[in-house]
Amino acid sequence: MSDFEFTTSSGERIPVFINVRRGVRNITLRPRAGKNRQIDITRPWLASNASAMRFVEQKRRWLERFFQNAPVRSQLKSGDWFVFLDRQVQVIHDTTIRANRFILNDNGTYTLFVGGDEGMIENRVRMFIKSELLKQIKELVRKAPREFWPRRICLRDTTSRWGSCSTTGTISFSWRLAMAPFDVMRYVVMHELAHMKHMDHSPEFWATVRELYGFGVERAKMWLNKNGAGLHQYL
């Protein structure tokens, strides 16, 4: 249980968890709208909890918008449909199989058969999506000039950013990008690859993104800003 709460204008009370860390210089916050709606804060050791909560209030408009746009999470059940990597997929629970089966249907849709315990449906679907997304990302990276290749690629479950690039050459992506249109996911990949050369958002950086992505960068960026919260509906 949290010691603090953020109350939205609609009356929803969202728990706030404050983590104190030595070595950090600034207060950072991360709203979460997945299984549990909450706000995680990291503050320096010398800052107070009161200053952290004042920072939350300073970000009220952004937080209100984030939680308002974030969909109420729906549990994925056998028979449900969802979209990933531009594919319309129906998940079917089949207790007679041990490994997932992914089948292309005659009408162009797909069926993902998952086995095991019924309570593990979401976990099995999640792991399958992550595996497929990682394959696609690696394929996109291989098509980029070698000078942009990262040392490591990993997937995370983040709510406040879709990708990141570290100075050590590791690029990370939210696995929920699999539920975005393919070209939107490709935009985030090219965005992070551009950071391999430019660790900022300078004009040179954006020129590199456009060079890697081609026409349509702004359209992909606008789609993500407008519809990104909906990618957290399932799983």
Side-chain angles (χ1 to χ4, degrees):
M1 233 179 128
S2 68
D3 294 324
F4 303 92
E5 287 183 333
F6 172 76
T7 304
T8 67
S9 56
S10 63
E12 181 182 3
R13 301 170 70 177
I14 298 172
V16 177
F17 296 89
I18 299 178
N19 179 39
V20 181
R21 289 185 58 187
R22 292 179 181 271
V24 299
R25 303 178 65 180
N26 301 308
I27 298 173
T28 59
L29 62 84
R30 177 180 296 175
R32 298 183 181 272
K35 192 180 226 179
N36 300 307
R37 290 160 73 91
Q38 65 187 59
I39 299 172
D40 293 333
I41 297 179
T42 299
R43 69 165 175 84
W45 179 65
L46 292 176
S48 65
N49 288 341
S51 63
M53 292 307 296
R54 284 196 297 271
F55 184 67
V56 169
E57 281 301 318
Q58 292 171 12
K59 299 295 183 180
R60 171 170 285 277
R61 290 182 63 184
W62 174 66
L63 289 168
E64 291 263 12
R65 187 165 59 250
F66 175 86
F67 286 112
Q68 182 180 358
N69 294 334
V72 177
R73 185 179 177 276
S74 301
Q75 183 176 7
L76 190 67
K77 305 179 297 299
S78 181
D80 285 347
W81 289 84
F82 65 98
V83 178
F84 88 99
L85 297 176
D86 286 347
R87 302 161 176 167
Q88 292 280 344
V89 182
Q90 184 179 35
V91 59
I92 299 294
H93 181 229
D94 185 347
T95 58
T96 66
I97 63 174
R98 298 183 64 183
N100 294 336
R101 292 169 53 208
F102 191 53
I103 296 175
L104 173 61
N105 302 313
D106 292 338
N107 63 359
T109 65
Y110 291 80
T111 303
L112 174 61
F113 294 93
V114 296
D117 185 85
E118 187 173 7
M120 296 295 290
I121 290 177
E122 286 195 331
N123 186 59
R124 287 178 176 268
V125 172
R126 188 184 302 112
M127 296 304 295
F128 178 79
I129 291 175
K130 287 182 178 180
S131 175
E132 291 297 304
L133 175 63
L134 194 56
K135 291 178 187 175
Q136 292 286 343
I137 290 176
K138 288 181 177 179
E139 185 174 335
L140 289 171
V141 169
R142 282 194 292 268
K143 292 178 180 178
R146 198 178 189 90
E147 61 193 287
F148 293 98
W149 288 12
R151 297 183 64 183
R152 182 169 172 258
I153 301 171
C154 60
L155 300 180
R156 304 186 187 279
D157 190 7
T158 56
T159 57
S160 58
R161 52 171 48 182
W162 300 107
S164 63
C165 177
S166 74
T167 55
T168 60
T170 295
I171 56 175
S172 304
F173 299 98
S174 167
W175 68 266
R176 295 180 184 278
L177 284 169
M179 270 74 88
F182 183 86
D183 281 344
V184 174
M185 180 271 288
R186 186 170 70 86
Y187 155 69
V188 178
V189 174
M190 297 304 119
H191 183 115
E192 298 310 325
L193 290 185
H195 278 312
M196 295 295 294
K197 267 196 173 182
H198 307 283
M199 293 297 288
D200 54 27
H201 289 93
S202 62
E204 292 77 14
F205 164 80
W206 285 110
T208 302
V209 174
R210 294 185 182 93
E211 179 184 344
L212 291 171
Y213 182 88
F215 179 77
V217 168
E218 292 301 324
R219 183 173 58 223
K221 184 179 177 182
M222 287 176 60
W223 189 99
L224 199 57
N225 289 337
K226 182 179 179 181
N227 304 289
L231 304 183
H232 296 270
Q233 180 178 359
Y234 290 111
L235 307 171

